[in-house]
């Protein structure tokens, strides 16, 4: 299976939903997803004051690319704040987070499988 074919569409028609972890200040707008694997393209939004500490450090078995559209957030493990205009490309297994955002942040994220050998 794969993500669906989608022609240009107004993403404001797609509702934000609370992300796994159930923090009401951390929401996602799923733009496209593979129903079999769960790999997705999404807009992630941390409202001001959101903190993902209860979810701990994240490690995924997939590639993840993240572009910060607006705002900023801090990787609490690294003690480093990242801002609008910055980009990350994380290979499978790369630890990151937890995150906190004082002002709020919006990111664009694409997740896809690691190649099998």
């Amino acid at each position: 299976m794969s993500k669906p074919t989608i022609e240009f569409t107004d993403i404001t028609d797609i509702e934000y939903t609370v992300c796994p972890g159930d923090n009401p200040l951390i929401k996602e707008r799923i733009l496209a997803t593979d129903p079999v694997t769960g790999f997705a393209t999404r807009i992630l939004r941390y409202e001001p004051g959101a903190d993902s500490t209860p979810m701990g450090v994240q490690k995924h078995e997939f590639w993840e690319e993240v572009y910060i559209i607006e705002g900023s957030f801090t990787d609490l493990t690294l003690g480093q704040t990242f801002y609008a205009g910055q980009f990350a490309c994380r290979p499978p297994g790369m630890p990151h987070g937890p995150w906190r955002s004082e002002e709020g942040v919006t990111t664009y994220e694409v997740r896809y499988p690691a190649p099998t050998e």
Side-chain angles (χ1 to χ4, degrees), residues 18-88:
V18 175
C19 289
D22 296 326
N23 182 331
L25 297 180
I26 304 174
K27 298 179 180 177
E28 63 187 354
R29 177 181 271 164
I30 302 293
L31 304 179
T33 189
D34 179 330
V36 173
T37 65
F39 294 118
T41 301
R42 70 180 183 167
I43 303 292
L44 177 69
R45 175 75 186 148
Y46 275 49
E47 297 297 329
D51 187 328
S52 70
T53 297
M55 294 183 289
V57 173
Q58 299 292 299
K59 287 185 184 179
H60 310 293
E61 296 304 317
F62 50 81
W63 282 89
E64 180 179 60
E65 296 185 21
V66 181
Y67 176 75
I68 303 173
I69 298 170
E70 62 182 7
S72 66
F73 58 174
T74 301
D75 182 312
L76 299 174
T77 299
L78 297 176
Q80 188 171 359
T81 301
F82 300 97
Y83 301 92
Q86 292 185 298
F87 171 78

